[in-house]
Amino acid sequence: EVQLAESGGGSVQAGGSVRLTCATSGWTYSRYCMGWFRERPGQEREVVAHMNPVGRTVYADFVKGRFTISKDNTNNTLWLQMNDLTPDDTAMYYCAAKGTFCYTGKGVQHWGQGTQVTVSS
């Protein structure tokens, strides 16, 4: 069973940084799409960034160079480093694994439980 555990969310002031971590175990996650999505209040879940098995990364337009997705295949860990945060980045952030979303933008097989990031002005 695929289990994803996010951590690292919290409250931060505008301009600050947060690093999200997604830990998983029991499967070779490096062979699959991995990524981060977010759900802002009253909005649909949207992609933030994703990475395909060979490490190609894609970011949403709103990231504008502020976020970096990375992974450690040895320890099955995925990160999202978020810098220069604004109140518009306030959202529940979800780790996503497997499926076709790193090729098509949709089709996630497994979700984490989410971690809240709140950015105050």
Side-chain angles (χ1 to χ4, degrees), residues 18-29:
V18 169
R19 190 190 198 199
L20 304 182
T21 300
C22 177
T24 183
S25 63
W27 57 291
T28 308
Y29 91 132

Side-chain angles (χ1 to χ4, degrees), residues 7-8 10 13 15 18 28 30 39 43 49-51 71 88 94 100 107 110 112 114:
S7 61
Q13 290 191 329
V18 169
T28 308
S30 60
E39 199 167 303
Q43 304 286 326
H50 54 70
M51 180 181 292
K71 65 179 180 177
D88 284 342
Y94 295 90
T100 60
H110 302 282

Side-chain angles (χ1 to χ4, degrees), residues 38-47:
R38 73 182 187 183
E39 199 167 303
R40 294 185 291 170
Q43 304 286 326
E44 294 186 353
R45 195 170 297 188
E46 60 184 350
V47 64

